[in-house]
Amino acid sequence: MVKIQIDLTDEENRIVDVYKLANRLKTKQEAIKSMIKHFEVVIKPKNITEKEYFK
């Protein structure tokens, strides 16, 4: 498991707090982990075509 420390602005901190309260989560860590699950990562080649990349 990777542990990170993150500096949030006051506005970002409030967003996490509201999300935590709205979803009845116990910690900010649970809120951030839940928020992250809404995203997906897709990796695509930038400077070459996909055909060349997958040769």
Side-chain angles (χ1 to χ4, degrees):
M1 179 180 291
V2 175
K3 295 198 177 230
I4 63 169
Q5 182 175 355
I6 184 169
D7 294 325
L8 299 175
T9 64
D10 288 337
E11 184 177 344
E12 292 166 338
N13 188 44
R14 281 181 288 204
I15 291 170
V16 173
D17 275 336
V18 169
Y19 188 87
K20 180 183 86 165
L21 294 171
N23 291 286
R24 297 184 176 152
L25 300 170
K26 294 180 181 180
T27 65
K28 285 184 182 179
Q29 177 179 330
E30 288 178 353
I32 292 170
K33 287 173 83 173
S34 178
M35 293 169 89
I36 289 171
K37 291 179 182 176
H38 291 283
F39 295 91
E40 174 180 295
V41 175
V42 177
I43 300 173
K44 295 182 182 178
K46 182 177 177 182
N47 296 325
I48 60 174
T49 64
E50 286 189 33
K51 184 177 178 182
E52 291 174 350
Y53 181 76
F54 289 110
K55 275 187 179 178

